[in-house]
Amino acid sequence: MDAPINPLLAPWDAPFGLPPFDLVRPEHFRPAFERGMREHREELARIATRHDAPTFDNTLAAFDASGRLLSRVEALFHNLAASATSDALQAVQREMAAPLAAHWSSVYMDAALFERVDALHAGRDSLGLGAEQRRLLERVHLDFVRAGARLRGGARQRYAQLMQRLAELTTTFAQNVLHDEASYALPLRGEADLAGLPDFLRAAAHQAARERGIGAGHAITLARSLIVPFLTFSPRRDLREQAWRAWVSRGEHAGAHDNRPIAREILALRREQAALHGHASYADYALADTMARSQAQVWALLDQVWVKAVPALARERDLLEAARRAHGAPDDALEPWDWRYWAEQVRRERYALDDAELKAYFPLPAMVEAAFDCARRLFGLRFTLRDDLGTYHGDARAYEVADADGRVVGLFLQDNFARAGKRSGAWMSALQWQHRNGFEAKPVVLNNNNFARGDGQSPTLLSLDDVRTLFHEFGHGLHGLLSDVGYERLSGTQVLRDFVELPSQLFEHWIDEPEVLKRHARHHRSGEPIPDTLIERVRAARRFGQAYESVRYSASALVDMAAHAATEPIDDIVAFEQRVLAERGAPVVAGLNHRLAHFQHLFSGSSYAAGYYVYLWAEVLDTDAYDAFVEAGDPFDAEVAQRVRRWIYSSGNSVEPGAAYEAFRGRAASIEPMLRERGLIDD
Ligand SMILES: [Zn+2]
């Protein structure tokens, strides 16, 4: 009898090379990873042991095209582990983290292979390479060097060990956060607990209780789409405090899922990794491969915002305190769990703006349509639902994407709802990157959001923040879909990480355009477009609350930088975090976006370590970039849109990012538009 076929190893012949989602089981992954790694090693050995001299084609292009079985299995696995995980998948994740890290280490430490890449790099001026080929050569060479290809002897062995141990630790860190989020729910019993909560939140809390099997009827979980509105609307200070404490202490519970020792060890290993590269700190090592290039640039940017945001926060706080006095609240200190609630009161009273009123105009399907429509008006793209294509979960919908002339560009999968087995947050990923190396690969791009689902009686309604998140991830999605490069390593979002948030944050600007709102934001019951007066009030209120966001964000970025710039061991990450914040005079009442024990950007992988600043860096670029449309007098100006497509959304990493930006804008970016947008300098 034939052995049963592993669907991961059979050809994937569905449209767009989609995986056979319905056939894949957790037990298929380990053998598929092992086969993928073996094939990859064999391909690389063939490149490394060639007898002829290295050329771009026989070494660089071949390297870029290698390991495709492994890549497709890894991409699928990471997507499932994030969006539709299970105990069995988590077990595979823990089991495979070290072997996969060892594999990738061995690829970039392969001496014979590096010798060929290094020889090409040394002679790069005389190879007659095109601009993109040269960029690929420089990029891949740097990948090798940064992964330790030049290390020798004991240092080499130690480096590989570090990479494996880091892979295990970052996997555990992410799973621990998931565990703490999955194991907490605040049951709401009866009207006394539900008082003040708008309908959409009651519906979402009801849905959450059902999914968690909680009898109470309603529950608040730590999903952002529940916890943030709960803190905003619930007048029950005691319940807000309970929920807040659970939210900010994720990862910080003694026992089997404690992230404090994990984060401490990750930081220590990263310091050692940096030292092997000759850097004094991990921040120095990480920043060497960014647009910022050095710590000094990052500190300067963060300082500039921090010194303005802290006094601005005090002014916001005065408004909150005044509201508390006017409402006869107890004459005690404003606590962190009070801030959002009182800010909402101020928003209502000062700007006559009520989140629940606003949400009625943002039903999810219309907002998805709005994002598609903006992409059509800017870039001529068309999105067609392909419900004939199976995906990994009923929530994930597939859209075929075509260009203005009908040419199929790629496939877009959007998975919008929070649910058990899906990690929190919002992100873009890919099952296939665009490239033309060997064959014409069409991108298959995913967006994940975590919106609270409507209860069936009312549709899913988004807050303005949710809509921004939807547009943000969609911007990343376009960066993947519009990619137009020759080589996979240079494709889509595989750019320097302080450039990667530019396409996403830039796209958020279109949802603030009154014209876009009038067209798409319609009341879910009456179908009436959002009134001008409400748009006006949104604009007026936009600056209010910016100081709170700026402080929370910058505080997290400062802690990230301090932790990774440290040249001494950090024994207690909680004490360290408190010390950094105290030294900076951080207002405790604002809190921070992420505390170290659940700071997934830093510890669920390495790509954002010493890199939380990148959102602010990219904001300097996106606010300056959007001004190009403002200057043209039309948010859909065809000529500006064409340039933004060419230099920002399509060029991937085929052009140096600073040069790409200047090609688009005709000059380098200025910081003023960002400061103005955040209300930190006057118009
Ligand atoms: Zn992003």
Side-chain angles (χ1 to χ4, degrees), residues 140-154:
V140 170
H141 185 261
L142 192 58
D143 287 342
F144 271 91
V145 172
R146 288 181 62 78
R150 285 204 169 127
L151 299 175
R152 294 286 168 263

Side-chain angles (χ1 to χ4, degrees), residues 426-428 472-473 476 500-501 504-505 508 608 615:
W427 64 95
M428 172 271 197
H472 178 100
E473 297 308 330
H476 282 307
V500 78
E501 298 299 331
S504 52
Q505 293 182 176
E508 292 178 44
Y608 281 79
Y615 298 93

Side-chain angles (χ1 to χ4, degrees), residues 613-646:
Y613 79 91
V614 302
Y615 298 93
L616 189 64
W617 186 275
E619 196 176 317
V620 172
L621 301 175
D622 77 70
T623 45
D624 184 72
Y626 196 73
D627 274 0
F629 288 95
V630 176
E631 287 157 19
D634 176 1
F636 296 97
D637 183 86
E639 193 269 328
V640 181
Q642 191 274 331
R643 271 189 285 137
V644 96
R645 177 175 184 159
R646 159 118 200 250

Side-chain angles (χ1 to χ4, degrees), residues 524-541:
H524 71 99
R525 288 219 179 82
S526 69
E528 288 295 312
I530 187 168
D532 292 328
T533 52
L534 189 51
I535 296 179
E536 254 327 294
R537 281 182 277 148
V538 170
R539 287 172 87 81

